[in-house]
Amino acid sequence: MTTYDSGLHAWFQQYIVATGRLPLFSFLVGLLAAFVGIRVSVRLIRAKVRWWPGNVRLGGLHVHHAVFGVAFMVAAGIAGLAVPDEMPGWRTVLALVFGIGTGLVLDEFALILHLEDVYWTERGRTSVDAVFAAVALSGMVLIGLRPLGLYGWGAAGREEGTTGLVVAVVGSLLLAVVTLLKGKTWTGLVGIFCPPLLVVGALRLSRPQAPWARWRYGTRHPDNQRRAEARERRLRVPMMAAKVRVQELLAGRHDLPDPRHAPAQRTLSCPARPAYACSRPWTSPGTRQQNGRWIYEKNRLSVVKSVCAHNNGAAPPMT
């Protein structure tokens, strides 16, 4: 046990502390802790556990946890800019706070994206995807990977041989754009740190609903469209089903009905034109308002307009 602890401590000192990645490690720890903690909280709230405090409310306003996340991120970001480099301990603490704020915000990323409360709906899975992407990118940087092969940028700059490196970076960016346009998000993100994946993603077929397929497949290349749809059914659908099962295990089931598919409620609005006072009744002879004036409207919606006039502009209730 002592040998294991000393080995882990030596690895941590050598690969995390000595390389200056301790703030990034703290950020990743804060991100994971915030995501796991808030998911436990919301699942307890959803289960209506009595001893759990529940949602935060100010009067009748429900304060989403993304609000606290933004506050943490702003406070940690400003303080991080003010703290000098000679205080690595404080920078590490601020990175931890920034990671906590990032986790809280990304957990409600779907709400921010759609501007709707879709937390437990199918569209709410976007929040879990955003957290997974942030953890993956942070983890790859933490283990020493650099985006687009920027390992020797400083050395290349000192040797005044940056032309080849710039060409490689621009080429990698173009391949990443093509890969993302083909709908291969994870291949594009991971390929930024492993450029050979970008070559594979850019050369292979697009997903059938991706922008690349809409522009270049369809009626222009029906064979490619059919092949892409067949590959989607054979490979993508089972992979997505497995990913959903993992997400539900970690983050809960997103099974509430989507507000977009809710049946629309019929409402009766009053016409914009005002009713006119005249000498004829609007329903049957002998009917008048308390003020002694008859109400009548000379068009096809006379009854609706007259009722609106009697109710001071309010529509009659639907029965």
Side-chain angles (χ1 to χ4, degrees), residues 181-225:
L181 288 176
K182 288 189 173 184
K184 303 175 181 180
T185 306
W186 279 102
T187 303
L189 291 178
V190 179
I192 292 176
F193 296 86
C194 185
L197 285 178
L198 296 178
V199 178
V200 175
L203 294 179
R204 298 192 70 186
L205 281 174
S206 168
R207 294 187 60 195
Q209 303 299 328
W212 187 274
R214 294 197 300 267
W215 298 338
R216 302 185 60 85
Y217 294 174
T219 57
R220 297 180 59 182
H221 299 283
D223 292 338
N224 287 345
Q225 183 69 26

Side-chain angles (χ1 to χ4, degrees), residues 101-151:
T102 303
L104 295 176
V105 170
L106 291 182
D107 186 63
E108 291 194 322
F109 177 78
L111 280 72
I112 301 172
L113 178 64
H114 298 287
L115 294 179
E116 292 184 75
D117 192 356
V118 295
Y119 193 88
W120 290 118
T121 68
E122 185 69 24
R123 288 187 289 172
R125 298 185 193 277
T126 309
S127 298
V128 186
D129 292 333
V131 173
F132 283 4
V135 171
L137 294 176
S138 302
M140 285 186 288
V141 175
L142 185 64
I143 64 177
L145 297 179
R146 294 293 179 268
L148 302 176
L150 297 179
Y151 295 96

Side-chain angles (χ1 to χ4, degrees), residues 1 37 43 56 96 140 147 170 182 197-198 228 245 253 297:
M1 185 68 179
R43 294 181 73 171
V56 177
L96 177 67
M140 285 186 288
V170 173
K182 288 189 173 184
L197 285 178
L198 296 178
R245 287 194 292 269
R253 299 190 62 181
E297 178 61 33

Side-chain angles (χ1 to χ4, degrees), residues 10-22:
W11 174 87
F12 188 82
Q13 290 291 331
Q14 180 178 357
Y15 291 99
I16 302 298
V17 178
T19 56
R21 300 173 193 161
L22 185 58

